[in-house]
Amino acid sequence: MQYSEIMVRHGELSTKGKNRMRFITKLKRNIEDVLAIYPNVAVRSDRDRTHVLLNGTDYEPVLESLKLVFGIQALSPVYKIEKSVPDLIAAVQTIMTDLYYDGLSFKISSKRSDHQFELDSRDLNQTLGGAVFEALPKIKAQMKNPDINLKVEIRDEAAYISHEDIKGAGGLPVGTSGKGMLMLSGGIDSPVAGYLSLKRGMDIEAVHFASPPYTSPGALKKAQDLTQALTRFGGNIQFIEVPFTEIQEEIKSKAPEAYLMTLTRRFMMRITDALREKRAALVIINGESLGQVASQTLESMQAINAVTSTPIIRPVVTMDKLEIIDIAQKINTFDISIQPFEDCCTIFAPDRPKTNPKLANVEKYEERFDIEGLVQRAVEGVIITEITPDSKEDTISELINDIL
Ligand code: ATP
Ligand code: MG
């Protein structure tokens, strides 16, 4: 027998009182984005559950995709059956015969939310249990820890049978905590920062600074592929490519070597903040990690941060590189990140960036630039594309819950 749908139980959102419907609607839309790669699948939500209707699609890849979506607590593939006793009997017999092996133990757990139905849950357990024995006389009934717990649910619209409960990704549905601009390089850290933000329900837009011809189309593609890897957790993501060549050339020609990095980062921050305001996001997210490279000191963060009062979220700031790599591997971004395409920062990077840049110096050097004009031209020159999940099957072996 073929599963007809996958039943989705909502996660933390069920505790959110009057926001509940808003959360469910968001989760439904995210699931639709993620499952758009399966054209026949349809999604329907009610207060308690979201139903993913398979319409003939093989359930396994759909289940793998759903396991990654934040805001889902648990998943059960289910058979939808006509609400009639003979149909239910035929169904449990077929299902148990398919699952049967020597020594298999089972029980039936019925639940009746449609109280008009002719049998109550006790009668149902007995009738359906008896039908299983009739088909498989050697099967064992076992109330405690049976191999198969066949759950039969009589609801208003139909009856549902399931026997698998699969843990979902947990977290909050993407978009229920507001939007942040993710500064996404091609490195290992920023995609992990993006993933962790999605986990707590933030919607993200990816901002990527490109400096052609110094940076290659390969570097841009890599950032887009990383963005695509992040769409699996909550749906489509806007990718914003920022033209950064003019600014990098100016900095290179006008500022002292030791301050290149600080000035570059301050421009990136200003541009990201301008985009944030224009696109109604609340915060900026980046992949800075303390002490990882000479440029990522607290002094440096302070000098870069000084251009804005917008909150900057740094999800990986206190993690060791190995901890970040561990997550990157589990979310399948690591192999993309280590492709050898240099991004704009590596190419223009000075040999010895200042580890304790002085704000007074930074501001003095910046007097040499038309900051407003440069920022404005970059913001006006952005190219925005919507990135959607990839249709090729790549599954993640471990549950997201187990990553941290
Ligand atoms: P990552 O692994 O994310 O590249 P990193 O350890 O290489 O981080 P840096 O190169 O110092 O660190 O960059 C710090 C942060 O600045 C990045 O995590 C990212 O958020 C942002 N950033 C750097 N380069 C770019 C870029 N080309 N486009 C967008 N954001 C960038
Ligand atoms: Mg980097």
Side-chain angles (χ1 to χ4, degrees), residues 183-185 187-190 207 209 265 286-287 292 296 344-345:
M183 299 174 72
L184 183 77
S185 65
I188 296 168
D189 306 326
S190 41
V207 179
F209 293 85
R265 289 302 150 90
N286 69 25
Q292 202 185 85
Q296 293 183 18
C344 58
C345 306

Side-chain angles (χ1 to χ4, degrees), residues 204-259:
I204 59 174
E205 294 195 355
V207 179
H208 177 74
F209 293 85
S211 305
Y214 305 104
T215 58
S216 66
L220 179 65
K221 170 80 166 41
K222 184 171 151 185
Q224 288 166 334
D225 288 349
L226 287 168
T227 304
Q228 189 168 53
L230 293 175
T231 61
R232 292 167 304 164
F233 306 106
N236 303 356
I237 297 176
Q238 304 297 321
F239 180 86
I240 306 175
E241 177 193 344
V242 183
F244 205 50
T245 314
E246 183 191 7
I247 292 176
Q248 292 220 286
E249 285 177 336
E250 276 228 7
I251 295 175
K252 183 89 183 165
S253 68
K254 290 185 178 169
E257 182 89 2
Y259 276 84

Side-chain angles (χ1 to χ4, degrees), residues 91 113 176 199 236-237 244 247 254 293 298 306 311 372 384 386:
S113 57
T176 54
K199 182 175 167 68
N236 303 356
I237 297 176
F244 205 50
I247 292 176
K254 290 185 178 169
V293 285
L298 291 181
E372 237 174 77
I384 305 179
E386 178 161 284

